[in-house]
């Protein structure tokens, strides 16, 4: 079945390959190999991308440890109270009588109750937001090894792209921002003293693209150039 | 880990929201105590109430403890690999070759590595400091094609995950 699928996919390419006669057995074999290599390469790239996403996404360790401590403390305190009621733990373990008195004395409209409830209501959505994947502080590099992941920091990338933009004759300074959560783009704000060079933004774009090609990021980003002409 | 954070957040939001609703609703409901006498009467009259409540609380506390332990284990594994002695020795021997190969690549100024993870899922963390104009794609490709593969072969860990973090150093003050 897999072989049939590969042969089916490979057929149009085989026709266009030199010596790939389509009907000849050798041509189909070559097409199969090519298709298998291409499919294998795509799969390896996908695995490499998954590994990079897994490795470089924020771990939220501090939030996780905090939430775990909260759950442990709350569960432990309530357990101690209830196990004291059941006489599993001796009376000294928890001030059960005082806790019950407090719970019986406070009403739902009490400022203390509202304060605690408000804090919980605010902390809950904050934790839910923290559980979202979030923005990685590093940008993964393209690769085909499914067991390898590489990344460069956002600040370092911004700096190296700014250096590339400043390398264009006439550009005095440049500032780079990485924007967009879904439509990812690189915004380069370059300042130039030249007023008679209409192609300067193309040159800056070309320089930034060349530098990006050297870095080889995993995700393609559009490059927006915003030129600021100095001197009036 | 994220599932735990999300569950805790949901529980907090639900409990806090319910508390606010009851408190701000006004009327008779807001004036009732947190531990309603009706609940106390029901608990006293029901034999299974306190044991079930206690079991639930102990289960929550146990989940919290397990979660904390998982965090601690993950943090420890990120610092030190849980590997046997011979593998550790082979890794130490292969480390020099990998660092030498990495430092020979153009633009690489400094290289540091750390072996982490478990015997089932080992992980090599490689921190490379490169010059500002280094061709990172080339360095990354060269490492993957040569040095990392040799390290895997030398340590006998063909499934070793290699994670490379690039830092860049720039000579002049920033022109930004």
């Amino acid at each position: 079945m897999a072989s049939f699928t590969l042969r089916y996919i490979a057929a149009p390419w085989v026709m266009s390959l030199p010596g790939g006669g389509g009907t000849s057995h050798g041509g189909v074999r070559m097409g199969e190999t090519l298709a298998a290599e291409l499919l294998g390469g795509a799969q390896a790239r996908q695995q490499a991308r998954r590994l990079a996403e897994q490795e470089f996404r924020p771990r939220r360790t501090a939030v996780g440890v905090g939430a775990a401590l909260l759950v442990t403390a709350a569960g432990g305190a309530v357990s101690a109270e209830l196990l004291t009621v059941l006489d599993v733990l001796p009376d000294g373990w928890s001030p059960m009588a005082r806790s019950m008195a407090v719970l019986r004395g406070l009403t739902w409209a009490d400022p203390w109750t509202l304060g605690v409830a408000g804090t919980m209501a605010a902390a809950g959505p904050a934790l839910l937001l923290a559980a979202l994947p979030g923005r990685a502080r590093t940008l993964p590099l393209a690769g085909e090894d499914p067991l390898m992941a590489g990344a460069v920091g956002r600040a370092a990338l911004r700096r190296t792209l700014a250096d590339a933009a400043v390398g264009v004759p006439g550009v005095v300074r440049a500032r780079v921002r990485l924007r967009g959560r879904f439509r990812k783009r690189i915004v380069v704000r370059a300042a130039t003293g030249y007023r008679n060079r209409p192609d300067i933004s193309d040159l800056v774009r070309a320089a930034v693209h060349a530098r990006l090609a050297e870095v080889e990021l995993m995700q393609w980003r559009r490059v927006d150039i915003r030129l600021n002409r100095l001197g009036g | 880990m994220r599932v735990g954070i999300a569950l805790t957040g949901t529980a907090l939001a639900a409990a806090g929201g319910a508390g606010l609703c009851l408190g701000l609703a006004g009327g008779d409901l807001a004036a009732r105590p947190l531990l309603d006498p009706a609940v106390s009467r029901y608990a006293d009259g029901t034999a299974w109430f306190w044991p079930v409540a206690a079991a639930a609380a102990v289960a929550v506390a146990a989940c919290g403890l397990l979660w904390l332990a998982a965090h601690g284990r993950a943090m420890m594994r990120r610092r030190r690999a849980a590997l046997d002695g011979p593998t550790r020795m082979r890794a130490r021997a292969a480390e020099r070759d990998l660092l030498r190969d990495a430092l020979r690549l153009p633009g690489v100024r400094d290289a540091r590595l750390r072996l982490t993870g478990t015997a089932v899922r080992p992980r090599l963390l490689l921190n490379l400091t490169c010059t500002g104009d280094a061709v990172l794609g080339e360095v990354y490709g060269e490492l993957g094609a040569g040095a990392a593969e040799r390290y895997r072969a030398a340590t006998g860990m063909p499934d070793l995950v290699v994670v490379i973090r690039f830092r860049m150093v720039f000579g002049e003050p920033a022109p930004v």
Side-chain angles (χ1 to χ4, degrees):
Chain A
M1 182 64 189
S3 169
F4 171 77
T5 313
L6 285 177
R7 194 173 297 171
Y8 183 74
I9 293 167
W13 303 336
V14 172
M15 295 299 286
S16 63
L17 285 169
T23 50
S24 75
H25 187 69
V28 171
R29 274 262 184 259
M30 194 164 70
E32 275 181 16
T33 312
L34 181 63
E37 279 175 7
L38 286 170
L39 290 175
Q43 195 182 9
R45 274 195 297 277
Q46 195 179 23
Q47 284 173 344
R49 199 189 72 230
R50 276 192 199 140
L51 176 70
E53 281 171 359
Q54 191 185 330
E55 284 293 335
F56 298 119
R57 76 178 171 195
R59 294 186 197 281
R60 309 276 192 234
T61 307
V63 179
V65 169
L69 278 173
L70 183 74
V71 170
T72 311
V78 176
S79 301
E81 300 273 348
L82 296 178
L83 291 175
T84 310
V85 170
L86 293 170
D87 289 336
V88 177
L89 292 177
D91 281 345
W93 269 79
S94 125
M96 184 67 191
R98 204 174 64 197
S99 304
M100 288 295 181
V102 167
L103 289 177
R104 285 193 185 104
L106 283 174
T107 62
W108 288 105
D110 195 278
W112 280 102
T113 313
L114 287 176
V116 172
T119 308
M120 285 165 73
L127 281 180
L128 282 173
L129 279 180
L132 292 175
R135 192 180 76 169
R137 270 176 285 180
T138 52
L139 299 166
L141 303 185
E144 292 193 358
D145 186 344
L147 292 173
M148 195 161 155
V152 61
R154 296 174 79 90
L157 182 73
R158 284 172 50 200
R159 176 71 194 274
T160 192
L161 294 180
D163 278 0
V166 168
V168 174
V171 175
V172 183
R173 60 176 181 265
R175 198 169 59 185
V176 175
R177 290 278 181 270
L178 307 173
R179 297 268 187 228
R181 185 173 286 266
F182 302 107
R183 287 176 58 232
K184 295 180 188 300
R185 63 191 198 279
I186 294 164
V187 180
V188 182
R189 289 177 192 275
T192 175
Y194 288 3
R195 302 184 61 78
N196 55 351
R197 289 284 304 274
D199 63 337
I200 204 154
S201 63
D202 292 337
L203 293 174
V204 172
R205 182 175 284 109
V208 170
H209 273 302
R211 188 71 189 113
L212 275 175
E214 288 177 347
V215 174
E216 286 186 44
L217 289 179
M218 183 172 276
Q219 280 189 322
W220 180 85
R221 284 170 180 263
R222 200 181 74 194
V223 177
D224 288 346
I225 308 293
R226 291 171 193 178
L227 212 57
N228 179 24
R229 293 186 194 274
L230 299 173
Chain B
M1 303 289 182
R2 282 169 195 278
V3 176
I5 296 174
L7 283 176
T8 311
T10 309
L12 276 179
L20 279 180
C21 285
L22 284 169
L24 298 174
D28 183 45
L29 208 59
R32 295 181 83 89
L34 299 187
L35 187 62
D36 205 284
V39 176
S40 297
R41 277 197 302 276
Y42 178 76
D44 291 339
T46 314
W48 52 263
F49 184 87
W50 290 117
V52 168
V58 168
V60 169
C63 284
L65 271 178
L66 284 174
W67 192 10
L68 268 179
H71 270 297
R73 188 171 175 272
M75 281 194 279
M76 210 169 71
R77 288 288 164 264
R78 276 201 290 276
R79 296 212 156 272
R80 195 169 191 276
L83 298 170
D84 55 5
T87 310
R88 211 181 283 277
M89 279 177 65
R90 283 200 300 272
R92 209 167 294 141
E95 189 180 312
R96 278 192 297 274
D97 293 340
L98 176 59
L99 290 177
R100 192 193 56 224
D101 290 348
L103 288 169
R104 275 183 188 160
L105 293 171
V108 178
R109 285 271 182 85
D110 188 33
R112 283 155 203 268
L113 64 83
R114 198 166 61 200
L115 196 59
T116 65
T118 59
V120 179
R121 200 171 189 279
R123 182 169 163 273
L124 179 75
L125 188 62
L126 187 58
N127 284 317
L128 290 185
T129 306
C130 299
T131 54
D133 57 351
V135 184
L136 296 191
E138 198 179 302
V139 172
Y140 183 56
E142 287 286 327
L143 277 172
E149 203 53 55
R150 283 195 292 277
Y151 185 87
R152 284 186 188 123
T155 52
M157 291 186 282
D159 295 331
L160 177 74
V161 170
V162 180
V163 179
I164 305 175
R165 288 178 193 272
F166 288 95
R167 288 157 207 258
M168 296 177 101
V169 285
F170 298 88
E172 299 165 11
V176 289

